[in-house]
Amino acid sequence: MSNRGNFSSKIGFMLAAAGSAVGLGNIWRFPYLAGTNGGAGFLFIYLICILLLCVPVMIGEIAIGRKAGSDAYGSYQKLGGGKWGYLGLYGILAGVFILSYYNVVAGWAFGYFLEISFGNLLSEPDYGSFFGSFVNNIPPLFLFSLGFMVITALIVAQGIAKGIEAANKIMMPGLYLILIGLIIYSLTLPNAGAGVNFYLVPKLDQITSKTLFYALCQAFFSLSLGMGCLITYGSYVTKDQNIVKSAAIISIADTSVAFLAGLMVFPLVFSLGAEPGQGPRLIFVILTQAFQSMGPVVGRVVGGSFFLLICFAALTSTISLLEVPAAYLVDQKKLPRKPVVWGVAGLIFVLGLPSMYSQGIVPMLNKLPIHNSPDFLSFISDLCDIALVTGGCLMCFFIRNRWKVQNLHTELSIGNASYAGSFLQSYVDVAITWICPVILTILSILVILDKFVGLEWLFG
Ligand code: PHE
């Protein structure tokens, strides 16, 4: 295990895992989902999903990785034998597809950062149409996304301690600083209170059956669960680390960033008198308009910081997404790390091209002939959501029926002397044996139906 590399410190692992979790999911997706799904009601259900379903899955993943000391495929294979390795491969593939479209959206954010900080973006008359032409102007987008992938690969190629850990140690504190600065600013804007009110006071009539699916998928996505990322990171964790405590800290760090992102975004949206339910365009269109209204200097500083924040967040996630397939090839195929990282990064970049071309410029990719006719990017993102929830569900069955919960407990008590016999142990026990497998099975089926055929016939 020693030549695979390890995180050099406990805090290094936690920052890297929190870095994986904190990403576009928190700052781009969470606010727009909350915006279209009833604000505070969404937040409330989201928190329940995290506590009840996500934290146990996270604990399970880290424990599997540390016990087996291998990539996602190798870990399931080692602890489960038989065909269990395929469950790891399922996750690795999901990660590959997530990174393919994620890197495209990261490219948009990178482009916005450059355009606001060094360009003329803040003098546009109409940000809706600007965004529409921006995401279809392929040559610059190609470069922005390629640039993002190259930076990701440069870091991952350096290895665990010198690459991934070092980058996260700089970016994560930077991210928190920028975020707090932006919240303080946005809370002082006129009409900020209406935004806070929308975000924090639940309106029960706005909670629908869909709110639950969106919240669940978002929670899995945001915590980077169900695709072997935390198994892979867990495999670089030393035995003195307290896994349960780490999982709690990572979840709190991730949830607090999502929560704070909402607290920054909604006051800005309401200060403009804009509509919060804008979908994926929310931060690109409405917030940019808000930055413009701040005047050329303040707008540039605040807007530039905002998109830099998004780039940092996205980068700490793309790093973890690239590490998963790279670790698989290094561990299983015994290939050298650097060429593997560059090769996989190149391949995933190419795989992302249909997503890049799906925003209107190629009509066929813009409206796929299935339920709700999504564009290719949204379609891949939906498929990946399904993969994460089902992957997490199957992991629970793996622990419950194959590896056995007792072995999980044994692994969790290493580095945590007070675990055995504690309340936490009973919680993990019930969660992994009953709550997660049962609820996640039902929800997996409903999520699949929802994405492919819709659920209106069931819930009205
Ligand atoms: N958690 C990341 C985010 O919120 C996305 C991600 C998903 C990263 C799965 C790794 C694995 O943006």
Side-chain angles (χ1 to χ4, degrees):
M1 191 171 150
S2 56
N3 60 353
R4 298 176 71 245
N6 272 331
F7 288 109
S8 73
S9 60
K10 292 185 190 176
I11 181 83
F13 161 66
M14 281 190 284
L15 281 176
S20 166
V22 172
L24 292 170
N26 305 59
I27 303 170
W28 167 64
R29 214 166 99 145
F30 181 82
Y32 87 67
L33 282 176
T36 35
N37 289 285
F42 180 82
L43 178 64
F44 179 69
I45 294 183
Y46 179 79
L47 291 178
I48 293 184
C49 288
I50 300 255
L51 253 181
L52 205 65
L53 303 169
C54 294
V55 174
V57 171
M58 179 181 287
I59 291 174
E61 284 200 19
I62 302 175
I64 290 174
R66 186 175 73 176
K67 173 70 188 168
S70 189
D71 63 288
Y73 170 87
S75 292
Y76 277 117
Q77 191 60 31
K78 209 165 184 174
L79 302 184
K83 299 214 182 323
W84 281 103
Y86 287 109
L87 181 51
L89 270 188
Y90 178 61
I92 295 170
L93 269 182
V96 164
F97 281 100
I98 293 178
L99 183 53
S100 78
Y101 82 82
Y102 198 93
N103 187 60
V104 171
V105 181
W108 299 349
F110 191 34
Y112 262 62
F113 165 64
L114 296 177
E115 295 277 353
I116 289 194
S117 307
F118 309 106
N120 302 322
L121 183 60
L122 293 183
S123 51
E124 287 299 321
D126 173 359
Y127 287 102
S129 48
F130 176 82
F131 181 68
S133 46
F134 177 85
V135 293
N136 283 303
N137 186 5
I138 300 297
L141 280 188
F142 191 91
L143 290 181
F144 297 144
S145 291
L146 187 64
F148 213 86
M149 189 62 100
V150 167
I151 299 173
T152 305
L154 274 174
I155 295 171
V156 177
Q158 293 303 311
I160 308 307
K162 278 209 232 122
I164 298 181
E165 184 173 340
N168 276 292
K169 273 188 175 157
I170 301 171
M171 282 189 284
M172 288 304 284
L175 185 146
Y176 269 98
L177 277 181
I178 302 177
L179 184 58
I180 291 179
L182 286 171
I183 292 173
I184 296 175
Y185 181 80
S186 75
L187 287 178
T188 58
L189 293 172
N191 209 23
V196 176
N197 187 30
F198 168 78
Y199 187 47
L200 296 183
V201 181
K203 289 155 221 68
L204 293 181
D205 56 325
Q206 287 181 5
I207 300 179
T208 67
S209 58
K210 291 227 159 168
T211 313
L212 175 62
F213 306 135
Y214 286 131
L216 178 79
C217 290
Q218 171 62 13
F220 264 76
F221 180 81
S222 188
L223 289 175
S224 310
L225 297 178
M227 48 69 71
C229 181
L230 288 167
I231 297 184
T232 310
Y233 272 16
S235 73
Y236 306 123
V237 164
T238 50
K239 292 282 185 194
D240 56 349
Q241 186 112 14
N242 180 336
I243 293 181
V244 177
K245 191 168 139 201
S246 308
I249 294 176
I250 297 163
S251 308
I252 291 171
D254 183 67
T255 309
S256 63
V257 173
F259 175 75
L260 292 175
L263 208 53
M264 159 187 64
V265 168
F266 291 112
L268 280 171
V269 171
F270 279 77
S271 77
L272 278 181
E275 164 46 37
Q278 303 262 340
R281 314 149 31 101
L282 181 68
I283 64 167
F284 291 100
V285 175
I286 303 299
L287 290 199
T288 315
Q289 206 172 319
F291 300 139
Q292 184 193 38
S293 72
M294 295 170 192
V297 180
V298 180
R300 207 173 251 214
V301 174
V302 178
S305 315
F306 175 77
F307 282 102
L308 182 66
L309 166 77
I310 298 198
C311 289
F312 274 6
L315 190 56
T316 51
S317 299
T318 51
I319 291 172
S320 71
L321 285 162
L322 183 57
E323 175 61 20
V324 173
Y328 165 68
L329 293 173
V330 170
D331 285 350
Q332 301 304 319
K333 311 287 172 204
K334 308 282 174 251
L335 295 170
R337 184 172 185 89
K338 281 199 169 120
V340 159
V341 167
W342 286 103
V344 176
L347 205 79
I348 297 180
F349 178 75
V350 174
L351 215 73
L353 291 178
S355 295
M356 192 185 291
Y357 281 87
S358 71
Q359 301 302 299
I361 192 160
V362 178
M364 211 172 71
L365 293 172
N366 189 236
K367 280 199 181 340
L368 300 184
I370 46 176
H371 175 69
N372 280 348
S373 29
D375 60 52
F376 189 81
L377 191 155
S378 317
F379 175 65
I380 290 289
S381 142
D382 282 352
L383 283 189
C384 292
D385 279 359
I386 294 174
L388 298 188
V389 176
T390 50
C393 178
L394 291 171
M395 185 218 68
C396 295
F397 279 106
F398 169 77
I399 297 180
R400 183 181 192 271
N401 301 350
R402 177 72 201 174
W403 187 38
K404 304 295 178 207
V405 184
Q406 195 43 50
N407 287 318
L408 172 66
H409 290 321
T410 310
E411 185 60 29
L412 293 179
S413 38
I414 301 175
N416 182 355
S418 58
Y419 177 76
S422 64
F423 165 76
L424 264 176
Q425 178 173 356
S426 327
Y427 163 70
V428 171
D429 205 287
V430 180
I432 293 279
T433 322
W434 295 110
I435 304 179
C436 295
V438 173
I439 300 189
L440 286 178
T441 303
I442 299 173
L443 289 180
S444 294
I445 296 170
L446 291 177
V447 168
I448 295 173
L449 288 175
D450 176 50
K451 305 267 185 198
F452 286 107
V453 286
L455 280 175
E456 291 72 19
W457 53 274
L458 190 61
F459 293 109

